[in-house]
């Protein structure tokens, strides 16, 4: 079985839901978020970053943008107060304040060509991901910004989900909170060169000593599987389902499996 070929005509767009967005302001805003998350906030001004606890389990993912030396705006992937409450516990003597600003609409663009940062900077928030010769962009925009994108081909949620599976893109949700970011393929938003952050020692040890025990792989199945369901092989639990999308007479998806069972996979899919 081969991946379904979705013609994106260079760039296609999916209109997702609305997210709450926040500001982080103060003299210590940049240094604080840098100490709390995996990415290099001081150097990479607009991207995604992961909040982890001291065991390197994920608390949340943020899409952020540094506006100036005292102000950052961001949205939370889980759309909960968990990350806000967690970060506030670490304020201590830092000059940092988090404020609710309003709402932004999330748009997902798939493109066969890279979009320049100059074009992306026209929008409030953005992040990018590349795999399988495709580029995936998430834009968080105000209503007035949407009209700039009306010329792009619109795709359905089914097409969007199949493209995410094709790209091995994990849409993080609360069911994945016990995972660490390396397992879920978030290495592209982890800086291994910056200073300490919460969870850094564990993540560095897992990376340096190649101790990451699970990985994200695609599957197909004739039976309907549900997200979070266990994957059983010869009476052993080898992983769990992250996402599923029906495609014709079968189900495609992503699963998080123990690496020692990766030999069960062919070039594209594990057949479940």
């Amino acid at each position: 079985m081969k991946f379904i070929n979705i013609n994106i005509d260079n760039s296609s767009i999916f209109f997702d839901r609305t997210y709450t967005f926040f500001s982080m302001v103060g003299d210590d805003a940049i240094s604080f978020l840098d100490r709390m998350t995996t990415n290099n906030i001081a150097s990479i001004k607009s991207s995604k970053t992961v909040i982890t606890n001291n065991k390197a389990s994920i608390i949340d993912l943020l899409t952020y943008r540094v506006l100036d030396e005292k102000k950052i705006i961001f949205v939370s992937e889980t759309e909960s107060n968990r990350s806000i409450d967690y970060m506030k516990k670490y304020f201590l003597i830092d000059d940092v304040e988090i404020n609710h600003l309003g709402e932004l609409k999330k748009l997902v663009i798939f493109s066969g060509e890279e979009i320049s940062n100059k074009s992306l900077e026209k929008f409030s928030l953005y992040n990018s991901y590349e795999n399988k010769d495709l580029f995936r962009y998430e834009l968080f925009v105000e209503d007035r910004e949407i009209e700039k994108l009306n010329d792009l081909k619109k795709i359905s949620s089914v097409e969007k989900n199949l493209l995410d599976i094709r790209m091995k893109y994990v849409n993080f949700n609360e069911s994945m909170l016990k995972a660490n970011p390396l397992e879920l393929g978030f290495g592209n938003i982890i800086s291994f060169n910056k200073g300490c952050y919460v969870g850094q020692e564990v993540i560095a040890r897992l990376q340096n000593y190649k101790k990451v025990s699970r990985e994200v792989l695609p599957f197909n199945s004739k039976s309907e599987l549900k997200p979070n369901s266990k994957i059983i092989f010869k009476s052993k639990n080898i992983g769990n389902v992250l996402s599923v999308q029906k495609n014709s007479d079968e189900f495609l998806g992503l699963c998080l499996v123990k690496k020692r069972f990766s030999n069960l996979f062919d070039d594209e899919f594990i057949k479940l």
Side-chain angles (χ1 to χ4, degrees):
M1 188 277 172
K2 297 294 183 182
F3 274 115
I4 183 171
N5 182 23
I6 299 172
N7 181 10
I8 60 174
D9 294 327
N10 289 326
S11 294
S12 299
I13 190 167
F14 173 73
F15 286 77
D16 208 322
R17 60 189 179 87
T18 299
Y19 282 72
T20 302
F21 79 111
F22 301 86
S23 67
M24 181 179 290
V25 296
D27 290 339
D28 301 319
I30 293 175
S31 62
F32 176 78
L33 192 61
D34 200 59
R35 298 196 312 271
M36 290 300 301
T37 68
T38 59
N39 218 334
N40 193 328
I41 309 300
S43 299
I44 303 172
K45 301 299 184 182
S46 187
S47 185
K48 263 190 177 180
T49 191
V50 189
I51 303 175
T52 53
N53 62 21
N54 56 12
K55 295 181 180 179
S57 295
I58 299 174
I59 299 293
D60 205 347
L61 270 69
L62 307 181
T63 293
Y64 71 91
R65 183 171 184 174
V66 178
L67 297 183
D68 57 46
E69 61 183 12
K70 294 185 180 182
K71 186 173 184 180
I72 301 167
I73 58 174
F74 66 92
V75 296
S76 155
E77 194 93 344
T78 63
E79 271 285 274
S80 70
N81 289 326
R82 178 186 296 103
S83 55
I84 305 295
D85 294 340
Y86 181 79
M87 288 190 290
K88 284 182 176 180
K89 293 178 182 179
Y90 286 86
F91 275 4
L92 302 177
I93 61 172
D94 295 281
D95 179 22
V96 180
E97 181 179 316
I98 295 177
N99 299 304
H100 169 255
L101 294 181
E103 293 184 334
L104 296 173
K105 183 77 172 180
K106 179 181 175 181
L107 313 176
V108 182
I109 295 177
F110 295 92
S111 179
E113 301 173 349
E114 186 174 8
I115 300 174
S116 69
N117 284 338
K118 186 175 181 180
S119 296
L120 294 171
E121 286 169 359
K122 298 175 183 177
F123 303 98
S124 298
L125 284 165
Y126 63 91
N127 64 67
S128 62
Y129 176 80
E130 179 185 1
N131 195 20
K132 299 285 185 182
D133 299 321
L134 284 174
F135 295 89
R136 183 188 193 279
Y137 299 93
E138 290 182 344
L139 308 181
F140 295 85
V141 305
E142 298 177 16
D143 288 341
R144 61 179 176 79
E145 298 174 300
I146 292 177
E147 62 186 45
K148 301 174 186 177
L149 300 163
N150 282 338
D151 292 338
L152 295 184
K153 174 191 171 186
K154 296 177 178 60
I155 58 174
S156 68
S157 60
V158 171
E159 291 173 306
K160 180 259 186 190
N161 292 340
L162 290 173
L163 283 166
D164 281 344
I165 294 165
R166 175 180 173 184
M167 296 183 73
K168 289 174 63 176
Y169 182 86
V170 175
N171 287 280
F172 181 79
N173 60 56
E174 294 190 18
S175 70
M176 305 174 196
L177 289 173
K178 292 184 179 180
N180 72 64
L182 291 173
E183 291 178 324
L184 295 180
F186 296 147
N188 63 313
I189 52 175
I190 297 173
S191 172
F192 294 99
N193 301 314
K194 72 170 193 170
C196 292
Y197 57 88
V198 179
Q200 186 247 0
E201 290 185 5
V202 177
I203 290 174
R205 190 161 58 247
L206 289 170
Q207 176 75 0
N208 293 337
Y209 294 102
K210 302 187 186 305
K211 294 293 186 181
V212 180
S213 61
R214 299 187 294 177
E215 64 180 318
V216 174
L217 292 171
F219 69 83
N220 75 317
S221 174
K222 291 295 183 180
S223 302
E224 183 175 4
L225 298 173
K226 300 290 186 182
N228 306 320
S229 59
K230 295 179 181 179
I231 298 173
I232 306 299
F233 178 73
K234 292 185 177 179
S235 302
K236 292 182 179 180
N237 178 14
I238 68 169
N240 62 288
V241 174
L242 299 178
S243 62
V244 182
Q245 178 59 60
K246 187 175 183 181
N247 176 40
S248 187
D249 62 344
E250 64 182 354
F251 295 87
L252 307 181
L254 296 175
C255 56
L256 183 63
V257 296
K258 297 174 183 177
K259 283 189 172 181
R260 65 178 183 269
F261 293 99
S262 61
N263 63 331
L264 298 174
F265 288 70
D266 62 19
D267 290 340
E268 290 189 327
F269 288 101
I270 183 172
K271 294 178 173 57
L272 301 179

